[in-house]
Amino acid sequence: MLGRRAATRAYTYGYGRAEDLAGIVIVAVIAASALAAAWTAATRLLHPATVTHLPWVVGFAGNELVARYRIRVGRRIGAAALVADGLHARTDGYTSLAVVAAAGGAALGWRWADPVIGLAIAVAIGFVLKDAAREVYRRLMDAVDPAVVDQAETALRG
């Protein structure tokens, strides 16, 4: 909503960069998620605990549908924060699948399953973080798709 506000005398180009600030916040939250997951998994590897609430697992399909929608709309409207949020939702979906695997392992008595899968989740979040940070960085730096530059050059030569 802030990004759509009209330009003022103080902000003569408008508030479009609010999208960039939101993207930075989302990237920071993804980084915090990765660190928290890694810390928790490492702690549980060193100090195993009994896994409780095994039936409370979240579905993957809903998260993936939301992720695809956010990423598609974000790319269409040029909203790096929405793309980053979609990537984060995708991570939630994969995390849901991993949680099911961890719950299954815990139900079988494999105490190591939960922390090992937790570390795998932290690594997966790291990959999503890389992609989200790249999207936000490209927006911050006003990157242009090289194919668009090639099309412009071709049109100018024509």
Side-chain angles (χ1 to χ4, degrees):
M1 288 175 52
L2 179 62
R4 288 183 269 157
R5 287 179 56 187
T8 64
R9 292 187 60 76
Y11 297 97
T12 56
Y13 287 104
Y15 292 84
R17 292 292 183 193
E19 175 78 29
D20 300 338
L21 293 175
I24 291 170
V25 170
I26 291 169
V27 166
V29 168
I30 295 171
S33 298
L35 290 173
W39 179 266
T40 301
T43 300
R44 290 194 78 171
L45 256 175
L46 297 174
H47 308 287
T50 303
V51 177
T52 59
H53 307 301
L54 290 178
W56 294 96
V57 293
V58 181
F60 166 75
N63 283 319
E64 181 61 19
L65 288 172
V66 168
R68 287 178 186 226
Y69 175 74
R70 288 178 182 167
I71 292 168
R72 184 177 62 249
V73 171
R75 288 191 174 139
R76 189 179 69 227
I77 66 173
L82 188 57
V83 172
D85 195 39
L87 292 170
H88 188 225
R90 175 164 284 156
T91 302
D92 289 344
Y94 289 133
T95 300
S96 296
L97 286 177
V99 166
V100 169
L108 293 173
W110 300 340
R111 296 184 75 169
W112 54 266
D114 185 47
V116 167
I117 290 174
L119 286 173
I121 289 170
V123 169
I125 294 171
F127 283 112
V128 170
L129 173 63
K130 176 189 67 80
D131 292 342
R134 184 177 57 233
E135 289 275 343
V136 170
Y137 176 78
R138 289 178 53 82
R139 170 143 170 121
L140 282 170
M141 299 305 292
D142 293 326
V144 177
D145 183 358
V148 172
V149 175
D150 291 341
Q151 287 176 341
E153 288 174 347
T154 302
L156 288 171
R157 282 191 204 110

